[in-house]
Amino acid sequence: MASSRRTPKASQRIKDALPTPSRRSSRLIARSRTARPPSVPNLPPEIFGLIASHLDKADLKILRLVSKTWRGVATPLLFDRVHVSPRSKDLEVFEKITGSPALAGSVKELVYDVSTFYDLSPKQYFRVMCREIKTVFFGREEDLSTISQPPHFYQLIAAVVHKEPALRKKYGNNATVLSGFTEWQRLVDEQCQLFESGLFFCSLRLGLSKLSNLKSVNMDDDVWGRAIHHHGYPAASHSHFGPPVEGSPHSRQWKFCHPYPRKPQYTDHLNRFDSLKVIVDALWQSQRRIHFFRFSAHVCDGLHPDIFGRYKITDDFPHRMQSSLWQLERLVLTITPQRSHSDTGQLCDNQLGFFPDLLSRMTGLKCLFLDLRSSENVEMDCFFTREYEKACYSYEDVFPRATRWPNLIWLYIRGLAISGLDLCYLLFYQAGAIERLWLCHIDLLEGAWEGVIELLSHKRPWTLLGLQGIYRQANDEWWPCHPNDEQAEGEALGKHLDYIMYGGRHPSLSADADPLASGRYLCELWQNADVGRRIAIQRAIKS
């Protein structure tokens, strides 16, 4: 007959076999069960912010999930910058962030991606993809074994790297290539539809109205290039190819080695000027005032009224731009005139249009960066070719003579034609508080650079001073030497910079000349100037 006693469970047998805990250990076990989880250290709030400031975006996302305290620290750093573009993925994330009051209050910078998906044929798309693969794996063929891609796409990458012939005939119908081209065409149609229908503008205007702490707007045309090459594709010493961790939401999810949107060209349907008009109108209608505006893309054709009709811009655009940007403290702007649209190849009059009036309202500027090169010089710079053309704009085209910027401490000018006396007037009277100065490709219409150098040496100490590129002076003379001799030019510019920064003997003086004779350069700068210019400067100073 079976026994009525039940066999003890395995867990009970194990428990009976263990030694009986002592009274002290029982108290410790009971205390550990009721103890609270470890709390955040009692540190000043500044320490938490300092710790979080050393983390990248990926680590901030993890830190934000640790506790409520760390969430409050990481959120302002994680959402201090928001991206927007006429693409559904970027627009969706932008609307979600601006729709949350907690996240919208953390945004301080808006990055407007002005790059565009442009029309490509299947043949062109395949060619661009092969060029991108060559760029990624240039000098790093040994990294081919470390990437994890589908076999059919890996074969294409290996074939491009090893320079096999007849690539398009073999891999033109590759599944990855065909799907990538289909997605590319979809994005081309999508960005045009969002832009032309006004949906992008409405979302941008509504989002700007909710960004109460917005301080900066950055219109960037190289978001994809930095996100993919600087973050997505590591250096040759690394073996891991991971997705980008910076950039816009769309660029972070972009496919490996596929073509990405480029900087907008003049012939593109969505031109740079269209993007400028959209952001200015959105700022004006949302009544959002910012302190920093950066337009790294080139404003084609300048800002003269003749181009407004070409881009269907109303006559009140200058007023809107002045109303939106007059409180700026930092302005970074590149204005590129197009010579090719004129029959004579010359620039039309009043290229900058209302820009001097805009500068006259920005009396609170602290930093001003102006790149005033022609489109030809921009193209030469891309191919590392030296620029020899004369400057496009003169002092009168850019700066209002009667305006002063007492808070301007940082000035960068590239591509300006100005007299020596006007340059001194600008640096010593209109912007007398300048501490950082960078001059690049400056043509002196009157006077000599020796006098300008002597005057700059009296404004010590300089926090930063730079002379770069080529320089001309009166009568189209090269200074300090012909630019074909780059080594001699660099050494001469270095000597003049040392004289300005640390003093000593003027580099232009002869060996037997008195060191104090450099003062005559200042006298010549004033005496050789046009009488009308001297009178205008005197009147401006008196007023």
Side-chain angles (χ1 to χ4, degrees):
M1 183 176 180
S3 175
S4 60
R5 298 180 60 185
R6 302 177 64 180
T7 303
K9 295 181 178 180
S11 60
Q12 184 63 33
R13 293 199 304 268
I14 295 175
K15 184 175 181 181
D16 294 341
L18 293 175
T20 305
S22 62
R23 184 177 300 176
R24 184 172 183 275
S25 62
S26 299
R27 289 198 302 267
L28 291 176
I29 293 174
R31 186 180 302 172
S32 65
R33 290 174 177 174
T34 59
R36 296 180 178 179
S39 59
V40 179
N42 188 16
L43 297 174
E46 295 81 5
I47 302 300
F48 291 108
L50 187 61
I51 295 173
S53 64
H54 288 79
L55 303 178
D56 57 19
K57 296 292 185 181
D59 294 331
L60 285 174
K61 292 180 180 179
I62 300 174
L63 182 65
R64 190 168 173 262
L65 304 177
V66 172
S67 64
K68 292 183 178 180
T69 301
W70 284 113
R71 180 175 183 174
V73 174
T75 297
L77 297 174
L78 186 60
F79 295 96
D80 62 340
R81 179 185 302 152
V82 62
H83 291 78
V84 68
S85 71
R87 291 181 276 275
S88 57
K89 180 62 179 177
D90 292 343
L91 207 56
E92 177 185 358
V93 176
F94 175 75
E95 291 174 350
K96 288 183 178 180
I97 293 177
T98 55
S100 171
L103 301 182
S106 303
V107 177
K108 294 181 174 59
E109 179 183 4
L110 173 68
V111 180
Y112 181 2
D113 181 10
V114 299
S115 58
T116 60
F117 286 88
Y118 50 100
D119 291 328
L120 287 176
S121 65
K123 182 178 180 180
Q124 292 172 331
Y125 182 85
F126 185 82
R127 186 186 302 118
V128 174
M129 174 178 283
C130 293
R131 185 169 63 242
E132 178 64 18
I133 294 174
K134 292 178 183 178
T135 303
V136 173
F137 289 96
F138 178 76
R140 48 196 297 184
E141 291 79 2
E142 67 279 0
D143 291 335
L144 275 173
S145 59
T146 64
I147 63 174
S148 58
Q149 295 292 326
H152 56 275
F153 190 52
Y154 177 84
Q155 294 173 2
L156 170 61
I157 296 177
V160 173
V161 172
H162 295 120
K163 301 180 181 179
E164 294 184 8
L167 287 174
R168 187 166 182 268
K169 184 177 181 180
K170 295 179 181 179
Y171 303 99
N173 294 325
N174 186 289
T176 304
V177 176
L178 294 178
S179 64
F181 177 73
T182 302
E183 176 68 9
W184 181 278
Q185 292 298 111
R186 186 190 69 82
L187 290 170
V188 172
D189 297 336
E190 179 188 76
Q191 71 178 7
C192 292
Q193 182 180 2
L194 288 174
F195 208 95
E196 295 177 351
S197 64
L199 294 176
F200 171 67
F201 175 76
C202 293
S203 298
L204 179 62
R205 175 177 53 82
L206 182 61
L208 283 174
S209 64
K210 298 178 181 179
L211 301 179
S212 57
N213 294 321
L214 184 67
K215 303 297 181 183
S216 171
V217 172
N218 181 6
M219 302 188 68
D220 200 345
D221 59 0
D222 198 24
V223 172
W224 289 69
R226 284 192 300 274
I228 292 178
H229 289 290
H230 292 185
H231 301 282
Y233 305 155
S237 59
H238 294 73
S239 60
H240 174 68
F241 286 81
V245 297
E246 297 287 347
S248 63
H250 202 156
S251 65
R252 293 198 300 267
Q253 298 181 358
W254 197 238
K255 298 177 181 179
F256 180 70
C257 279
H258 281 250
Y260 55 90
R262 68 179 180 185
K263 299 179 181 181
Q265 309 294 317
Y266 181 82
T267 55
D268 288 344
H269 183 68
L270 298 180
N271 193 268
R272 297 177 175 99
F273 206 98
D274 296 314
S275 302
L276 178 63
K277 175 183 178 296
V278 165
I279 194 65
V280 167
D281 289 346
L283 287 171
W284 182 73
Q285 293 191 19
S286 62
Q287 298 184 353
R288 182 63 57 211
R289 301 292 180 262
I290 57 176
H291 299 292
F292 174 42
F293 184 77
R294 180 176 182 267
F295 194 81
S296 59
H298 300 268
V299 181
C300 295
D301 289 355
L303 295 171
H304 61 93
D306 295 341
I307 69 168
F308 290 175
R310 183 183 306 162
Y311 296 101
K312 299 179 181 180
I313 297 174
T314 56
D315 294 336
D316 61 345
F317 175 74
H319 169 71
R320 295 188 177 191
M321 193 169 183
Q322 292 172 357
S323 302
S324 304
L325 305 180
W326 71 274
Q327 291 182 336
L328 286 183
E329 295 180 358
R330 298 184 64 187
L331 175 62
V332 179
L333 188 62
T334 302
I335 302 179
T336 303
Q338 296 278 347
R339 296 178 183 270
S340 57
H341 296 287
S342 173
D343 295 336
T344 61
Q346 301 294 325
L347 299 175
C348 63
D349 296 333
N350 195 21
Q351 274 280 318
L352 292 182
F354 62 91
F355 184 71
D357 294 334
L358 180 63
L359 271 186
S360 67
R361 294 173 177 265
M362 299 180 181
T363 55
L365 276 177
K366 296 181 179 179
C367 301
L368 178 60
F369 291 73
L370 293 179
D371 190 347
L372 307 173
R373 293 176 294 167
S374 67
S375 57
E376 292 81 4
N377 284 343
V378 173
E379 184 177 356
M380 285 190 293
D381 192 26
C382 295
F383 292 97
F384 305 100
T385 305
R386 304 210 74 188
E387 307 166 13
Y388 293 99
E389 287 192 3
K390 293 184 179 180
C392 299
Y393 303 110
S394 65
Y395 168 81
E396 289 78 8
D397 295 332
V398 182
F399 296 98
R401 189 178 295 277
T403 304
R404 298 186 66 185
W405 299 276
N407 301 321
L408 189 63
I409 60 175
W410 195 341
L411 179 62
Y412 173 96
I413 304 178
R414 182 170 187 170
L416 182 68
I418 186 173
S419 70
L421 193 60
D422 280 336
L423 182 58
C424 297
Y425 171 73
L426 171 65
L427 300 180
F428 284 83
Y429 181 75
Q430 290 185 286
I434 283 184
E435 300 176 0
R436 300 182 177 187
L437 176 64
W438 196 278
L439 300 177
C440 185
H441 299 289
I442 306 297
D443 295 344
L444 281 191
L445 301 177
E446 289 180 354
W449 276 103
E450 289 80 6
V452 176
I453 296 298
E454 178 66 19
L455 195 59
L456 291 177
S457 66
H458 290 276
K459 195 177 172 59
R460 288 191 299 266
W462 291 92
T463 305
L464 175 67
L465 184 65
L467 297 175
Q468 186 180 13
I470 62 174
Y471 297 87
R472 290 183 177 89
Q473 51 189 8
N475 301 323
D476 287 340
E477 296 180 0
W478 298 107
W479 180 87
C481 57
H482 198 281
N484 286 339
D485 192 349
E486 296 186 31
Q487 182 177 357
E489 182 188 40
E491 293 176 355
L493 289 177
K495 293 178 181 179
H496 284 87
L497 281 175
D498 291 340
Y499 174 70
I500 296 173
M501 297 289 290
Y502 311 112
R505 182 185 183 85
H506 198 296
S508 299
L509 289 174
S510 59
D512 56 347
D514 185 358
L516 299 179
S518 59
R520 64 183 175 86
Y521 293 135
L522 292 178
C523 299
E524 294 175 356
L525 195 66
W526 176 264
Q527 293 173 357
N528 295 334
D530 181 71
V531 177
R533 180 170 288 104
R534 284 187 290 179
I535 295 175
I537 291 177
Q538 290 174 342
R539 288 178 178 176
I541 294 176
K542 290 181 180 179
S543 61

